[in-house]
Amino acid sequence: MAKAKLGETSIRKLSTCHPDIIKLVRLVEKRAPFDFTVLEGHRSVERQKELFDQGRSQIDGITRRGKHNHVPSKAVDLAPYPIDWEDSKRFMVLGGVILSCAKELNIPIRWGADWDMDGDYNDHSFVDMPHWEIME
């Protein structure tokens, strides 16, 4: 099985993240069965508000800061590459690799596909498949 390889843009975006996220994503890169991309690490308040206005985030960045709004970012958005937003199975496979790597590294992580981390992916009204954040 060939390992995934992050591109320059993904590496640049990843560099805005918390060291634990960087360590996690670099291990996932070695274990993922296909390529994936880093969509976002750190996010400005303006970008956060834009995503909130589009209904793609539940945090506006103004009244409440999200994990992406920290420096370094305590969140990262990852997607299988090439991106197919309709292919939830590839997101789930990538998610399994991420969860396994996080456990191995002892990094407490939460997935936007399972906010309460109970293993039930059908009990949330807002699902954010690419989103991963450090739990505090």
Side-chain angles (χ1 to χ4, degrees):
M1 169 187 344
K3 69 176 187 166
K5 178 142 178 57
L6 292 175
E8 288 181 29
T9 302
S10 287
I11 292 168
R12 182 178 44 76
K13 291 175 182 178
L14 182 62
S15 73
T16 69
C17 294
H18 187 281
D20 283 347
I21 290 177
I22 293 172
K23 185 178 359 175
L24 173 61
V25 172
R26 288 308 207 164
L27 182 57
V28 171
E29 183 181 19
K30 293 175 183 171
R31 305 259 172 91
F34 46 74
D35 286 338
F36 64 97
T37 186
V38 178
L39 300 170
E40 283 191 293
H42 175 73
R43 190 181 284 164
S44 69
V45 171
E46 295 79 19
R47 174 75 173 140
Q48 188 67 46
K49 176 99 172 62
E50 177 186 331
L51 292 170
F52 177 79
D53 291 345
Q54 293 172 1
R56 294 170 52 200
S57 177
Q58 293 191 319
I59 296 174
D60 67 9
I62 296 168
T63 59
R64 202 168 123 219
R65 275 185 2 160
K67 300 267 182 145
H68 283 283
N69 305 127
H70 291 266
V71 176
S73 179
K74 295 180 180 180
V76 66
D77 290 344
L78 305 172
Y81 190 83
I83 300 170
D84 178 353
W85 296 110
E86 302 303 314
D87 190 353
S88 61
K89 288 180 183 172
R90 281 174 50 98
F91 277 94
M92 296 300 280
V93 169
L94 181 60
V97 174
I98 294 168
L99 290 169
S100 173
C101 290
K103 183 175 183 178
E104 179 178 329
L105 295 172
N106 200 28
I107 297 172
I109 200 91
R110 178 180 9 248
W111 187 10
D114 186 19
W115 292 104
D116 56 10
M117 298 304 293
D118 67 354
D120 183 353
Y121 301 100
N122 298 308
D123 63 347
H124 305 283
S125 59
F126 181 77
V127 175
D128 190 353
M129 292 289 273
H131 182 83
W132 295 88
E133 65 183 38
I134 293 174
M135 290 173 45
E136 297 175 298

